[in-house]
Amino acid sequence: MNYRIVEDSSANINHINSQVAFASVPLKIITADREFVDHAELNVAEMISYLQEYKGKSSTACPSVADWLAVFGEAEAVFCFTITSKLSGSYNAARLAKEDYEAAHPNRTVFLVDSLSTGGEMQLLIERTAQLLTQSKQPTEVYREVCAYQKKTRLLFALQSLNNLANNGRVNPLLAKISGALGMRVIVRASEQGELVTLSKCRGEKKALEKLVTHMSEMGYQGGAVRLDHCCNRSAAEQLRALIRAQYPNAEITIGETGGLCSFYAEKGGLILGFETE
Ligand code: X90
């Protein structure tokens, strides 16, 4: 059978280490005078420095139904992953695309997963799917196992600024204001329903990194895989990796960079991590 994994660009990856076909559909970052398409060629650093100077309104846009249909291609089984449906219309567009695709091709199926999350947690779900597909499992079985795995994965963020989240109605402006104070960091997690939950506010990066490890443990982390992405803050990502390894020496941790969408919302300095629990 002909398989394919597709995602929206919020997972911060452009390829997967697997034989399984993979495609990403970009979200967009929009200002009054520019539009940034979140694909592999996007110069994220340039976008961030432009946004830092830019004083007008900015927003984001999710893929359309047609965008999703285009990446489904000719696959008989499509595994489709979206950013949480609580914060974006991406899932809804993918759901409509699935209906169209299956109606047009009765022998094909789209297995749609609302990640209830984004970033590194989505990466973990995608990696697991690719791994199960290469073990020649049936698509329905793969879907069942991935949905079970999703119950054991989590997402945490440490943000220096919540301005873009607040300006686009995704968090309370009051929270953005408090966290906007110099040196403040806000730690947020994705809830089981795919919403943002504030866990703590603290002063300084070192504190925030220590807090992140504490929150990971409280959320059930026991040394499993971690997918950590940073927005122009590699040194913090490396420090966090060292802190995690100090407690969990065998932790398998990858460090990557946020793509366009996550960079826009996590903002400069932000960290996003998906991880497994037991
Ligand atoms: O459809 C669109 O325009 C995309 C909107 C996405 C909005 C949220 C992006 C979140 C990115 C920072 C914060 C933590 C979110 C927690 C997930 C539940 C990253």
Side-chain angles (χ1 to χ4, degrees):
M1 198 182 286
N2 170 5
Y3 304 116
R4 173 171 269 234
I5 297 175
V6 301
E7 53 136 30
D8 63 42
S9 63
S10 72
N12 304 320
I13 46 173
N14 295 309
H15 73 279
I16 54 173
N17 294 322
S18 166
Q19 304 294 352
V20 181
F22 173 79
S24 180
V25 42
L27 289 106
K28 288 176 186 156
I29 296 89
I30 300 157
T31 71
D33 40 54
R34 288 187 66 180
E35 181 179 282
F36 300 90
V37 181
D38 189 15
H39 49 42
E41 288 78 46
L42 175 66
N43 184 341
V44 176
E46 191 270 328
M47 180 187 87
I48 293 164
S49 56
Y50 161 82
L51 287 170
Q52 279 190 314
E53 299 303 314
Y54 175 76
K55 294 287 171 274
K57 269 200 158 169
S58 53
S59 62
T60 56
C62 67
S64 67
V65 177
D67 293 337
W68 279 116
L69 280 171
V71 292
F72 290 171
E74 298 297 326
E76 287 157 89
V78 178
F79 287 82
C80 176
F81 296 86
T82 75
I83 186 170
T84 173
S85 61
K86 294 286 160 54
L87 297 179
S88 169
S90 184
Y91 174 81
N92 202 43
R95 194 179 52 75
L96 295 170
K98 166 182 160 71
E99 284 174 15
D100 283 7
Y101 193 73
E102 291 175 353
H105 311 284
N107 300 326
R108 300 183 188 172
T109 310
V110 177
F111 296 93
L112 180 55
V113 180
D114 177 353
S115 73
L116 302 172
S117 183
T118 186
E121 188 174 359
M122 245 165 101
Q123 288 169 38
L124 289 171
L125 302 180
I126 289 167
E127 283 175 30
R128 178 57 62 97
T129 304
Q131 190 185 59
L132 293 168
L133 287 172
T134 30
Q135 292 166 4
S136 311
K137 296 210 173 168
Q138 286 305 306
T140 47
E141 175 59 19
V142 171
Y143 183 62
R144 206 185 53 77
E145 287 192 33
V146 169
C147 292
Y149 178 63
Q150 185 181 17
K151 296 200 164 40
K152 297 183 177 180
T153 54
R154 301 284 183 273
L155 186 79
L156 271 174
F157 288 81
L159 306 177
Q160 285 182 17
S161 160
L162 281 77
N163 285 337
N164 285 341
L165 280 166
N167 291 341
N168 286 281
R170 262 99 185 174
V171 297
N172 187 330
L174 212 66
L175 177 66
K177 208 158 188 175
I178 298 168
S179 65
L182 203 65
M184 287 303 283
R185 299 288 190 285
V186 180
I187 299 181
V188 175
R189 75 172 169 91
S191 73
E192 285 82 274
Q193 290 76 36
E195 285 157 336
L196 278 155
V197 180
T198 308
L199 291 177
S200 46
K201 304 177 197 86
C202 53
R203 197 171 289 281
E205 191 154 81
K206 190 165 172 282
K207 270 251 162 54
L209 298 177
E210 285 162 2
K211 275 251 158 136
L212 277 172
V213 182
T214 307
H215 287 306
M216 285 174 78
S217 301
E218 284 166 2
M219 287 163 70
Y221 181 69
Q222 289 181 21
V226 180
R227 298 291 170 262
L228 167 59
D229 296 313
H230 64 91
C231 182
C232 304
N233 203 355
R234 173 160 290 273
S235 74
E238 284 171 357
Q239 285 172 58
L240 179 60
R241 180 169 62 187
L243 286 175
I244 298 169
R245 284 194 178 147
Q247 275 189 48
Y248 306 96
N250 299 320
E252 190 252 314
I253 306 169
T254 62
I255 294 181
E257 291 170 6
T258 50
L261 192 272
C262 282
S263 296
F264 177 78
Y265 285 109
E267 301 193 44
K268 200 168 181 173
L271 297 176
I272 306 184
L273 55 150
F275 57 93
E276 297 176 336
T277 64
E278 266 352 295

